């Protein structure tokens, strides 16, 4: 649909709160009536928590992959399923308060493709089941390919299909799930707004991209984020900058900041080494834009400096394609990046809330 | 130089304001009727386009059930899961807050982009729309009528009147159609490599997008009808323009010569005359368009009611000023003027400078010219007969009408000439002989106006006969068909069942009138249930039937089809079988007339109906009861079930409603007829006024020989009456032929039913009187002028004898 | 030479064959002079006048106005000639019935682009029309109408005035008065006048006379 109908739900899901949506967003931040709230100390259990949590307002299954073809050309893909609830809980048929939104992106050094699907809950057009694990909307899907004795997310098959592009991808993990914050309880603001957040950052990936020029076989690495919450951002927060980085030697870094104002950005991150996760905060980690580019008529910071002195990290990120603009119902920047400096590697960057 | 010459040309009008007024009046009236009709058509078409665009139906293909009444919701999900970008729609008519509307359920998340849903662009727009009781979106005028609806209905742009858009889930609830959809819309951009439709949902088929839209096609005949009459009026108006322009050229012929002699090149003269005509056309055209707007504004509510009643088309009762309509009105005025003046312009272009510079007297009628005209009329009559043989749809029918009318118009002067010559031969006394001879001499000058009068009178007789025949047939048919004393509509199947139980001991019989909508021979139509009851056997008029039709229908061995379907598909009793939507193929055992309904319809025995369509709503019933008990029964029924008044209708009310729709259907046609007659009257007036100025030379000698002015004036009046009377007599057979074409050809093509022709001599007498009054009124002014003319004016004729 | 007619022949087709009207006519007219053309009905005088005015074309021979042959000119050029150089006075007056006398008087001068209100007023006064300027032609007597026609012609200051029986519709006294006025005015303007008349009495008042008989100058 072309309407801004979903603005509140989506802006919540994407962490956007631009001027146009500030009011609706602020309302939600202030009041989460009826929805369950994340609580510190809650154990995340599987396979149950791979599935949907309809009692929470928003949730996502978010996979990004850095890929390369035989010639060494770099690609990035994104496969995401968002869930947003108008009311907590589930109901039969069209009366379901759940709304599902799928986003797919495919970045090449020269082009960026994006597509979107929407569906109502309750009728089977979209949904997530925990066991066997499957997430789908229309013909897009992310389905477990893991053996019965392994975690369902250890191996996944994904597909997305749009008029001008598509892809199929198989991913296989060579490391464990990683829990952010306090065992998966991830704080998003100084006042304590939080979500449940875990990731599988250890995927090797291979697949086929359908591009206008033809099919391309690719392989590389991938990262899955799982997060659900009812109140992820504070009213004054205007958006976020998020990085998932593969730094080599099995080291991964999640770094994010939620923008509140020049002085008060909320910073969080996770250092992942040998499967062990260490939470980071603004005392450890700093993120600073180095250069902005004109993207879709806005100034978007596309080059960044990320410092983590305690680990000897001082790196610069560079986009594979500065025009990785997801020109969807709620637009944002999401695409593959290269890392140089104290460490080199690759990763993904998401920039939201740039008006 | 040109300005000076133009001044000289235009000064003519200043000296002859009546002539100018006639020209402007004729052209304005012609343009007014034409553009009024166009405005109505444009308005209605815009409404259809809007209705079609409400859900993108104007550009999107659909998936529809191949032979079922509805699409299963599971098919929608299966198609989406297979990569097909489709959007569900559920449509149905229902009463919402006392108003009958079309409820259209959509899924805003998968629906293609559309203006109508823009109102959801608000915070919380989606939640309020989808969560019960939901929220409706409708055109502002519709929303205003739905204040009492069980859900809030908000005004929105881009939605046709009479449609309420709600969430698909809400629509399923309102229409009591859980899990059902009417059709799926196909997005224009589909991903490649989707599995074939036959592997996902073989029970669906793709229907390409509909260019015209269902309503536009259904109502085509109605609009063609209006257009034809608009054109007739325009043609009649052009007669006036032609005679006024012709006169102005005639009278200015000496001036043209003088101007040429004084050094104005012929090309400049032509350019000036064309410019003059164009200016007049634009002025009169603008007046006409303004007048046409008034005509349209007056007629529009009737048209809206007609289209609503007949086709369920919701169009606004008001007229918007559309620029293309303004421009086309001016263009037709311009084109019409040039056509009407073509002959005179041509003659002027070839005007020899040296020929005698005097106005040409009205040419004496030449019998050779008359014979040629008669020949042309005969050819046209043959064309009409040939068209009647060939057939060829609505356009063919109207072409035939045009040929017929033109033929009659061409033949008229010949007939009048013969009649007048006969009268002259029979006349006794010099004055009577002079009267007829002089009348005959004026024929060439008056024949155009008389032709216009003939056309207008014939159209009046024809349309009047058609409407009256139709009314007679229709009321008789209604009396038979509306046999049940009471008609009850429940709000749900459960309520219907309760009503049936309640009525069982109180009524003589309860006749279910249930139906499903579906495809009948490729067109959307309805299948009705019919109970096995004497009511039908005794009262329903069958226009074609095999053996024991009612018994066979009751046994489920056959169906009855309505006349429209029978005619369109050639399905008569014993002639063939009909595929029922989602049901069996059954032989046709009878055909019933079904006036006032443009769609195909089938009657199926009740048992067979419930067997094949178990999901059909079972809410409408006819109730047989003793007539004296009906009033109380209706009141009790309303009280017992708290039914709205509109849900319990007695027979009289149903008849009144049906007749009301019928009357509205022809209001516009009749109004146009009256206006056309008025225009013809003006044409006659214009011609007589014109002639009276030129006739002094003919009258002066008679006056000099002792016929008084008053007597001359009376004779002028009689002359007009005689001509109008003869024309009216000539119009009678033409009008009856016209009526026959309308009833037997046009109606069958336009509506699908044929009607018997009834004659109404009283109407003819009235119309004859109207014709005489028209003639008398038209002649009154010139006659009055003649009666009061100064004798010196007549003497001058001799003094100026040239 | 203002007007030179040289060996002009003209025939008309009729139902009974070709009827020769002019069989080689030659004439000349100097500026400031007047020439009367007389002859019986059908002798070809009006035809000759029409040819001189460029209203029609000769079959052969030359017609020179101010030295230029007009025989070969197109319709537009002949219209321009009539507008600028020639003034026509008709037996039927040919006033524009829908214009008043004042407008009729000024008409041709305006067409020729030589409109001079003072001159019109002067002419109107000399023609005795000053009191009738607001009237319409049909409200005037024949003599008055012809005076308007003469005024209309002279107001445009033509070099050559062609008059076709200008007094034919007037009684003798009125006709004489009108002709006197016309001769005086033409002489005053230094224009040439070709007067077609069947009356020897009127012809005698011109500087020269030519008599047509059977299509030739007798």
């Amino acid at each position: 649909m072309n309407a801004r109908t979903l603005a509140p739900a989506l802006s919540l899901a994407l962490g956007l709160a631009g001027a146009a949506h500030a009011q609706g967003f602020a309302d939600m931040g202030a009041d989460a009536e009826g929805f369950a709230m994340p609580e510190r100390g809650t154990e995340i259990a599987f396979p149950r928590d791979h599935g949907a949590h309809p009692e929470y307002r928003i949730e996502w299954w978010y996979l990004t992959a850095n890929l390369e073809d035989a010639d060494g050309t770099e690609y990035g893909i994104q496969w995401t399923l968002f869930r947003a609830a108008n009311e907590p809980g589930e109901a039969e048929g069209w009366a379901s308060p759940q709304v599902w939104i799928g986003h797919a992106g495919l970045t090449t050094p020269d082009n960026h493709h994006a597509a979107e699907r929407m569906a109502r809950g309750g009728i089977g057009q979209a949904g997530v089941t925990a066991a066997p694990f499957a997430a789908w909307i229309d013909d897009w899907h992310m389905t477990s390919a893991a053996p019965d004795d392994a975690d369902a997310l250890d191996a996944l098959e994904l597909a997305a299909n749009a008029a001008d592009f598509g892809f199929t991808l198989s991913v296989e993990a060579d490391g464990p799930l990683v829990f952010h914050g306090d065992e998966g309880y991830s704080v998003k603001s100084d006042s304590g707004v939080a979500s449940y957040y875990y990731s599988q950052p250890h995927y090797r990936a291979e697949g086929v991209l359908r591009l206008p020029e033809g099919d391309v076989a690719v392989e590389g690495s991938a990262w899955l984020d799982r997060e659900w919450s009812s109140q992820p951002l504070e009213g004054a927060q205007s958006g976020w900058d998020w990085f998932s980085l593969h730094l080599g030697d099995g080291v991964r870094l999640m770094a994010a900041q939620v923008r509140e104002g020049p002085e008060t950005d909320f910073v969080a991150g996770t250092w992942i080494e040998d499967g062990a996760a260490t939470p980071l905060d603004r005392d450890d980690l700093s993120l600073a834009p180095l250069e902005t580019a004109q993207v879709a008529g806005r100034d978007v910071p596309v080059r960044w400096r990320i410092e983590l002195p305690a680990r000897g990290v001082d790196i610069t990120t560079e986009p594979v394609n500065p025009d990785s603009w997801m020109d969807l119902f709620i637009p944002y920047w999401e695409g593959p990046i290269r890392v140089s400096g104290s460490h080199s590697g690759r990763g993904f960057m998401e920039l939201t809330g740039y008006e | 130089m040109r300005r000076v010459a133009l001044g000289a040309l235009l000064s003519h009008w200043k000296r002859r304001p009546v002539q100018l007024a006639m020209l402007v009046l004729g052209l304005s009236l012609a343009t007014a009727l034409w553009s009024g009709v166009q405005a109505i058509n444009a308005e209605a078409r815009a409404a259809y386009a809007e209705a079609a665009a409400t859900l993108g139906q104007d550009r999107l293909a659909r998936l529809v059930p191949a032979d079922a009444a509805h699409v299963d919701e599971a098919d929608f999900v299966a198609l989406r899961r297979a990569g097909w970008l489709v959007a569900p729609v559920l449509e149905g008519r229902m009463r919402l807050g006392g108003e009958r509307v079309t409820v259209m359920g959509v899924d805003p998340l998968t629906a293609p982009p559309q203006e109508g849903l823009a109102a959801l662009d608000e915070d919380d727009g989606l939640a309020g729309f989808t969560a019960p009781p939901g929220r409706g979106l409708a055109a502002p005028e519709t929303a205003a009528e739905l204040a009492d609806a069980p859900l809030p209905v908000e005004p929105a742009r881009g939605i046709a009147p009479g449609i309420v858009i709600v969430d698909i889930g809400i629509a399923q609830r309102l229409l009591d159609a859980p899990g059902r959809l009417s059709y799926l819309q196909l997005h224009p951009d589909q991903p490649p490599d989707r599995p074939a439709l036959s592997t996902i949902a073989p029970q669906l088929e793709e229907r390409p997008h509909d260019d015209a839209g269902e309503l536009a096609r259904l109502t085509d005949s109605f609009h063609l009808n209006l257009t034809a009459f608009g054109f007739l009026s325009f043609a009649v108006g052009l007669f006036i323009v032609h005679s006024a322009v012709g006169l102005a050229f005639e009278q200015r012929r000496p001036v043209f010569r003088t101007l040429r002699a004084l050094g104005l090149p012929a090309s400049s003269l032509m350019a000036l005359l064309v410019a003059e005509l164009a200016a007049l056309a634009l002025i009169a055209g603008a007046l006409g368009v303004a007048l046409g707007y008034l005509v349209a504004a007056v007629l529009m509510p009737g048209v809206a009611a007609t289209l609503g009643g007949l086709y369920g088309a919701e169009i606004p009762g008001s007229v918007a000023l559309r620029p293309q309509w303004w421009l086309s009105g001016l263009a037709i005025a311009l084109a019409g003027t040039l056509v009407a003046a073509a002959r005179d312009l041509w003659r002027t272009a070839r005007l020899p400078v040296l020929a005698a510079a005097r106005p040409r007297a009205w040419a004496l009628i030449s019998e050779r010219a008359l014979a040629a005209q008669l020949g042309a009329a005969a050819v046209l009559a043959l064309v009409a007969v040939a068209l009647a043989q060939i057939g060829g749809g609505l356009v063919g029918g109207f072409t035939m009408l045009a040929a017929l009318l033109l033929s009659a118009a061409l033949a008229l002067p010949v007939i009048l000439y013969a009649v007048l010559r006969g009268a002259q031969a029979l006349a006794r006394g010099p004055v009577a002989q002079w009267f007829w001879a002089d009348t005959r001499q004026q024929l060439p000058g008056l024949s155009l106006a008389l032709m216009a009068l003939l056309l207008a009178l014939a159209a009046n007789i024809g349309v009047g006969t058609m409407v009256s025949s139709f009314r007679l047939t229709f009321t008789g048919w209604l009396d038979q068909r509306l046999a049940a004393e009471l008609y009850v509509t429940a709000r749900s199947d459960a309520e219907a069942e309760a009503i049936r139980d309640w009525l069982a001991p109180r009524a003589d019989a309860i006749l279910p009138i249930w139906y499903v909508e579906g495809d009948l021979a490729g067109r959307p139509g309805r299948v009705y249930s019919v109970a096995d009851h004497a009511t039908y056997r005794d009262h329903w008029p069958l226009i074609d039937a095999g053996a024991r039709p009612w018994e066979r229908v009751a046994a489920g061995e056959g169906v009855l089809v309505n006349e429209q379907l029978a005619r369109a598909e050639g399905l008569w009793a014993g002639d063939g079988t009909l595929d029922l939507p989602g049901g069996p193929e059954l032989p046709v055992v009878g055909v019933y007339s079904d006036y006032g309904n443009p769609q195909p319809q089938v009657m199926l025995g009740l048992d067979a109906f419930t067997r094949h369509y178990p999901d059909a709503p079972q809410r409408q019933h006819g109730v047989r009861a003793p007539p004296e008990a009906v009033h109380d029964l209706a009141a009790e029924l309303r009280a017992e079930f708290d039914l709205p008044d509109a849900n319990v209708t007695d027979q009289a009310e149903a008849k009144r409603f049906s007749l009301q729709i019928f009357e509205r259907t022809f209001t516009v046609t009749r109004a146009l007829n009256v206006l056309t007659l008025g225009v013809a009257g003006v044409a006659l007036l214009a011609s007589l006024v014109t002639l009276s100025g030129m006739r002094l030379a003919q009258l002066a000698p008679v006056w000099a020989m002792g016929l008084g002015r008053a007597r001359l004036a009376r004779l002028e009046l009689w002359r007009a009456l005689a001509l109008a009377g003869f024309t009216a007599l000539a119009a009678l057979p033409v009008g009856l032929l016209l009526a026959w074409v309308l009833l037997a050809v046009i109606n069958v093509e336009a509506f699908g039913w044929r009607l018997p022709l009834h004659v109404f001599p009283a109407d003819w007498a009235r119309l004859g009187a109207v014709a005489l009054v028209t003639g008398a009124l038209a002649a009154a002014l010139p006659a009055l002028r003649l009666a009061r003319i100064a004798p010196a004016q007549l003497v001058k004729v001799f003094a100026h004898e040239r | 030479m203002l007007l030179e007619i040289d060996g002009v022949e003209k025939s008309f087709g009729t139902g009974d064959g070709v009827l020769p009207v002019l069989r080689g006519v030659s004439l000349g007219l100097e500026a400031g002079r007047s020439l009367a053309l007389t002859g019986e009905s059908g002798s070809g005088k009006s035809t000759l006048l029409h040819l001189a005015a460029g209203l029609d074309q000769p079959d052969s021979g030359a017609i020179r106005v101010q030295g230029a042959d007009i025989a070969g000119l197109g319709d537009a050029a002949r219209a321009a000639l009539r507008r600028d150089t020639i003034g026509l006075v008709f037996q039927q007056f040919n006033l524009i019935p829908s214009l008043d006398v004042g407008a009729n008087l000024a008409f041709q001068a305006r067409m020729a682009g030589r409109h001079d209100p003072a001159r019109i007023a002067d002419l109107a006064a000399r023609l005795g029309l000053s009191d009738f300027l607001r009237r319409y032609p049909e409200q005037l007597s024949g003599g008055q109408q012809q005076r308007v026609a003469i005024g209309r012609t002279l107001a445009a200051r033509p070099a050559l005035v062609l008059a076709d029986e200008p007094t034919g519709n007037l009684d003798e006294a009125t006709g004489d008065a009108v002709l006197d006025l016309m001769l005086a005015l033409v002489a005053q303007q230094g224009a040439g006048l070709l007067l077609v008349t069947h009356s020897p009495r009127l012809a005698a008042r011109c500087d020269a006379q030519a008599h047509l008989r059977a299509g030739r100058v007798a």
Side-chain angles (χ1 to χ4, degrees), chain A residues 1-6 8 24 86 94 99 117-120 123-125 136 138-139 161-163 210, chain B residues 73 76-77 80-83 85 88 107-110 120-121 124 126-127 130 167-169 172 191-192:
Chain A
M1 62 186 300
N2 64 337
R4 289 184 292 278
T5 313
L6 293 174
N86 289 320
W94 298 102
V99 169
R117 295 292 176 85
M118 297 189 197
R120 302 271 284 275
I123 56 165
Q125 188 191 344
W136 75 91
D138 293 343
D139 57 330
N161 216 5
R210 177 166 61 79
Chain B
E73 195 172 283
F76 161 66
V77 175
R80 290 293 306 200
R81 295 292 315 269
L85 294 181
D107 171 23
L109 294 190
T110 51
L120 295 180
D121 281 13
D124 206 29
L126 184 69
T130 57
D167 181 62
I168 184 90
Q172 286 182 344

Side-chain angles (χ1 to χ4, degrees), chain A residues 12 26-37 54-58 85-89 97 229-231:
Chain A
L12 205 60
D27 286 350
M28 293 207 174
D31 176 66
E33 193 180 331
F35 287 101
M37 301 293 282
E55 65 277 16
Y56 291 82
R57 194 187 291 269
I58 53 157
N86 289 320
E87 286 169 35
S229 169
S230 290
Q231 197 192 20

Side-chain angles (χ1 to χ4, degrees), chain B residues 44-350:
Chain B
R45 294 224 169 89
Y48 307 147
E50 196 176 45
T54 295
L55 270 186
Q57 286 151 329
D58 51 337
R59 35 186 188 89
L60 294 183
R62 298 176 181 187
L63 298 181
V64 299
D67 51 18
H70 59 262
V71 177
D72 204 315
E73 195 172 283
D75 292 338
F76 161 66
V77 175
L79 282 163
R80 290 293 306 200
R81 295 292 315 269
W84 282 68
L85 294 181
V86 290
V89 178
L90 174 66
E91 237 177 46
R93 295 279 291 168
M94 66 171 295
R95 223 170 253 291
L96 205 60
E99 297 291 324
R100 271 199 86 73
V101 293
T102 297
V103 165
M104 193 171 251
V106 300
D107 171 23
L109 294 190
T110 51
Q114 54 200 280
E115 195 185 4
L117 289 181
L120 295 180
D121 281 13
E122 291 150 24
D123 293 338
D124 206 29
L126 184 69
F129 190 69
T130 57
R135 200 149 52 88
L137 299 173
E141 60 265 39
T142 307
E145 290 170 356
L146 293 175
D148 299 332
L151 72 170
V153 177
E154 292 171 8
R157 285 185 309 146
I159 302 178
I163 293 177
V164 180
I165 294 187
V166 298
D167 181 62
I168 184 90
I170 304 296
Q172 286 182 344
R173 189 179 304 219
L174 287 173
L175 296 167
D176 194 18
R180 276 189 243 159
L181 307 172
S182 300
Y183 58 89
L184 303 176
Q185 291 180 296
L186 268 175
H187 285 240
D189 290 326
Q190 297 284 338
D193 305 329
R194 288 161 297 140
L197 182 62
S198 56
T199 63
I200 313 292
Q203 63 279 24
L204 301 185
E205 63 186 18
E206 186 168 343
R207 181 177 290 174
H209 74 91
D210 191 351
D211 279 331
E214 197 63 31
L215 278 176
R217 216 175 29 244
L218 270 179
T219 51
D220 252 0
S221 52
F222 181 83
H223 293 296
L224 185 58
N225 218 321
L226 281 189
T227 305
F229 279 103
F231 195 74
L232 179 66
S233 308
F234 187 71
V236 168
L238 283 192
F239 282 120
I240 309 180
V241 177
H242 183 80
S243 80
V245 168
L247 178 66
F249 273 65
E250 199 61 54
Q251 291 177 332
R252 290 190 295 177
R253 200 172 281 250
V255 176
F256 299 160
R257 289 213 180 84
T258 304
L259 285 173
R260 298 265 280 111
L262 295 182
L264 185 70
S267 58
S268 300
L269 177 63
M270 290 306 293
L272 287 175
L273 286 173
V274 170
E276 176 198 67
L277 284 173
L280 281 171
L282 289 179
I283 293 167
L287 275 173
V289 170
L291 211 59
Y293 178 77
L294 283 180
V295 170
V298 169
L299 294 182
M300 197 65 201
V303 173
T306 301
L307 289 167
L310 200 54
Y311 303 101
E314 299 270 359
I315 64 171
S318 58
V319 185
L321 280 170
R322 296 168 197 277
Q324 77 267 31
W325 169 69
W326 264 100
L327 291 176
S328 76
L330 290 180
I332 191 95
L334 205 54
T337 307
L338 290 180
V339 165
R343 194 188 61 171
D344 292 302
L345 280 173
W346 174 246
R347 281 188 184 162
T348 306
R350 301 169 22 139

